[in-house]
Amino acid sequence: MDILFLLVPLSVLLALAVMGVLAWAVWSGQFEELAGEAQRILGAEPDAPTKASLDASIDASIDASLIHINTLNKHHQHT
């Protein structure tokens, strides 16, 4: 029970610290124009993949992982 005298104030201080960091980020403009930064990062690479090629590679990796999962379960049947 004595540990609560330590843990409760520490948790309050941690919550205040997190709220302070969030308030600083909001007031300093960290969340201004999020889409513009995303476009700047993607546009900086001359060989940036297109959305269609990214979707195709994601679909291929998902299909491959599903095939692997399905074939893995066939060999390990429980009796």
Side-chain angles (χ1 to χ4, degrees), residues 5-16:
F5 292 117
L6 177 68
L7 292 178
V8 170
L10 283 178
S11 64
V12 169
L13 288 175
L14 181 64
L16 289 174

Side-chain angles (χ1 to χ4, degrees), residues 10-75:
L10 283 178
S11 64
V12 169
L13 288 175
L14 181 64
L16 289 174
V18 168
M19 288 181 359
V21 169
L22 180 63
W24 169 80
V26 169
W27 287 329
S28 67
Q30 296 293 319
F31 299 109
E32 299 291 326
E33 195 183 350
L34 294 176
E37 285 299 312
Q39 293 299 323
R40 182 187 62 84
I41 292 170
L42 291 176
E45 297 178 21
D47 297 332
T50 62
K51 182 174 175 6
S53 66
L54 287 175
D55 289 341
S57 65
I58 290 171
D59 289 341
S61 66
I62 289 173
D63 291 340
S65 65
L66 290 177
I67 291 170
H68 178 70
I69 290 170
N70 289 339
T71 56
L72 183 64
N73 290 337
K74 288 182 183 177
H75 299 292

